[in-house]
Amino acid sequence: MVKTFSFEKTGLEGLIKICPFISEDGRGCFIKDYAHELFKNNGIELELKEVFYTYSKKGVVRAIHFQEVKEQAKLVRVIKGKIYDIAVDLRPDSKTFGDWLGFCLSDENHEELYIPGGFGHGYLVLEDSIVSYKCDEKFYAEHDSGIIWNDADIDVKWPLELVENRVIISDRDKALQSFKEFKAKKENSRKGNK
């Protein structure tokens, strides 16, 4: 069985769900999850600068992370396991500013998300998982930021029942800012630039 690439727009401009090229037979499967020219022809400008992987245990929540400067576009795919992946539009000029969408990504469905710069990204690990990130910008620790995973204003509907409501969150992620604090910083930054 062979599946070719498909690109599906979502309700948040620029956020795209992608099914990669897959060729399966009795031996297993071959997956191609990125092809520069094909992505470009489908409106995705993604020049890779870094690729990295996370291993996370079931119940881990990785909060709504982003870089404040040198924003990263990301191509996110699960290599092994299953996650509930969310993207939040953090672009102040966007008509969907503060809105989020969630997707189940797994090693069975092979789906991936293209998350543009200006978005926050996080996920809940539904089973022990390895997640791949392909990024168009380097990681800069000094610009790394985020919004707390259970922010009341963004109100992500995490499927916590799928992990028996047992979540594992780093101390760093527990101390992240709220969406209100993020908006206030953006507003103050705009005023300072006028």
Side-chain angles (χ1 to χ4, degrees), residues 101-178:
L101 287 175
F103 304 84
C104 183
L105 303 180
S106 73
D107 60 4
E108 290 183 0
N109 68 22
H110 304 297
E111 293 174 349
E112 56 189 343
L113 283 181
Y114 170 72
I115 303 169
F119 275 67
H121 171 248
Y123 55 88
L124 170 65
V125 181
L126 303 179
E127 56 189 57
D128 291 3
S129 296
I130 299 170
V131 179
S132 162
Y133 297 76
K134 294 175 175 68
C135 303
D136 76 341
E137 183 55 85
K138 287 171 46 180
F139 174 76
Y140 293 91
E142 65 272 25
H143 302 309
D144 188 34
S145 191
I147 294 171
I148 194 160
W149 72 283
N150 57 355
D151 181 85
D153 292 314
I154 293 176
D155 196 25
V156 172
K157 304 298 185 206
W158 299 101
L160 299 178
E161 68 282 359
L162 298 179
V163 295
E164 296 84 41
N165 291 305
R166 295 184 195 146
V167 296
I168 304 165
I169 305 168
S170 71
D171 289 341
R172 176 188 170 269
D173 279 5
K174 288 177 187 174
L176 289 172
Q177 67 191 321
S178 69

Side-chain angles (χ1 to χ4, degrees), residues 39-66:
F39 274 50
K40 188 173 181 179
N41 290 342
N42 281 275
I44 300 173
E45 294 284 345
L46 187 64
E47 294 277 349
L48 298 182
K49 298 274 180 73
E50 287 188 340
V51 177
F52 60 94
Y53 302 86
T54 60
Y55 168 75
S56 302
K57 296 178 180 179
K58 179 179 177 178
V60 165
V61 173
R62 295 200 181 261
I64 306 166
H65 293 164
F66 55 89

Side-chain angles (χ1 to χ4, degrees), residues 22-102:
I22 304 168
S23 178
E24 291 184 272
D25 61 25
R27 301 167 297 167
C29 72
F30 170 85
I31 299 171
K32 177 166 53 172
D33 62 8
Y34 174 73
H36 177 75
E37 188 174 329
L38 183 61
F39 274 50
K40 188 173 181 179
N41 290 342
N42 281 275
I44 300 173
E45 294 284 345
L46 187 64
E47 294 277 349
L48 298 182
K49 298 274 180 73
E50 287 188 340
V51 177
F52 60 94
Y53 302 86
T54 60
Y55 168 75
S56 302
K57 296 178 180 179
K58 179 179 177 178
V60 165
V61 173
R62 295 200 181 261
I64 306 166
H65 293 164
F66 55 89
Q67 280 190 175
E68 292 180 330
V69 177
K70 298 182 183 269
E71 297 170 338
Q72 291 176 304
K74 299 174 183 171
L75 186 63
V76 179
R77 185 169 78 84
V78 171
I79 304 298
K80 182 73 178 156
K82 183 189 294 186
I83 65 173
Y84 183 71
D85 196 85
I86 64 114
V88 182
D89 188 346
L90 297 177
R91 302 169 296 184
D93 294 329
S94 170
K95 62 185 176 191
T96 55
F97 179 54
D99 291 351
W100 66 276
L101 287 175

